[in-house]
Amino acid sequence: MKNNINIPIQPLLIGKVGKSYGILGWITIFSFTEEKEKIFSYLPWFFYKEKKWTKIIVDDWKKYKNNFIIHIKEISNRSIIKKFTNSDIIISQYTLPKLKKNNYYWTDIINCQVFNIDKNYLGKVIELTRTKNNDILIIQNPFKISKKNILIPFVENTIIKNIKINNKLIIVQWNKMTYSK
């Protein structure tokens, strides 16, 4: 099996490319990392747009308003850089630091099966979202009664009782009646 170093291994989305900035090849980016500047710790980056991968090397970056502007090595032309607008910023998952026991990344939680403490199946985690107060698990509802997704606050020890990443299993304190309206 050929390993192409210009394509990420276990791709992980960490940001989005915005519009070009100035005439010297700078472009705006939006970081999806919890601490926004951490995006620069996870290199190399791959831009993904229209089913095409481009490995890039950031040679400079600056804080700009609530986001960042970056300069890519060997690009100093606005017309070239603007082709990357709306690209996803992807890394290889192995570039993330190893976590301590009982810690996990959001990507580890996606596709976990969710059961309540009464052993009732609630569905599969399809997404997580961040709110002002806490993160929210978005569970794909497996029941035909309601096609609405189930939203469960990610409050450890109170609502989230147990997470077994290796088994892709989450146990929650959540009553089926809560979402059966």
Side-chain angles (χ1 to χ4, degrees):
M1 186 168 126
K2 184 180 177 187
N3 186 4
N4 188 340
I5 60 169
N6 293 319
I7 297 175
I9 299 166
Q10 293 181 294
L12 182 63
L13 177 68
I14 63 165
K16 189 83 171 172
V17 179
K19 62 183 181 178
S20 57
Y21 177 87
I23 61 169
L24 299 176
W26 289 77
I27 196 160
T28 307
I29 64 152
F30 305 94
S31 173
F32 297 163
T33 59
E34 188 170 4
E35 295 174 37
K36 300 297 180 194
E37 284 188 17
K38 286 278 189 184
I39 194 169
F40 298 104
S41 301
Y42 311 129
L43 300 172
W45 289 356
F46 299 85
F47 285 174
Y48 185 71
K49 183 178 179 181
E50 298 170 356
K51 299 183 180 180
K52 292 181 184 166
W53 294 100
T54 305
K55 184 176 181 179
I56 62 111
I57 297 172
V58 176
D59 64 6
D60 201 1
W61 64 273
K62 299 175 186 174
K63 184 107 170 103
Y64 177 70
K65 297 184 180 179
N66 290 330
N67 296 297
F68 302 97
I69 56 173
I70 64 165
H71 189 268
I72 298 170
K73 185 177 181 179
E74 299 178 2
I75 296 179
S76 57
N77 183 311
R78 180 185 181 98
S79 61
I80 294 172
I81 199 69
K82 73 180 185 179
K83 293 176 184 175
F84 293 116
T85 296
N86 294 323
S87 295
D88 290 330
I89 302 172
I90 309 287
I91 61 169
S92 294
Q93 193 167 343
Y94 74 84
T95 63
L96 295 173
K98 297 288 182 208
L99 296 175
K100 295 177 183 175
K101 188 176 181 178
N102 298 325
N103 288 330
Y104 30 80
Y105 290 107
W106 274 18
T107 188
D108 298 330
I109 292 182
I110 302 296
N111 292 322
C112 281
Q113 303 299 314
V114 181
F115 290 83
N116 69 12
I117 58 173
D118 296 324
K119 299 181 182 171
N120 294 313
Y121 180 63
L122 302 179
K124 175 177 72 170
V125 178
I126 56 171
E127 191 177 343
L128 285 106
T129 189
R130 177 162 285 127
T131 66
K132 183 178 178 183
N133 296 323
N134 51 266
D135 298 337
I136 304 286
L137 287 175
I138 301 175
I139 314 293
Q140 186 175 38
N141 190 338
F143 305 105
K144 296 183 185 201
I145 299 168
S146 172
K147 297 200 185 262
K148 292 181 180 178
N149 290 331
I150 302 163
L151 306 178
I152 299 178
F154 196 94
V155 182
E156 291 189 89
N157 300 323
T158 304
I159 296 173
I160 307 297
K161 294 298 186 179
N162 196 348
I163 297 176
K164 298 179 181 179
I165 291 299
N166 292 339
N167 297 335
K168 298 300 272 182
L169 176 69
I170 298 175
I171 308 297
V172 296
Q173 174 77 48
W174 199 255
N175 186 337
K176 276 184 10 177
M177 298 307 289
T178 307
Y179 59 85
S180 61
K181 293 180 181 178

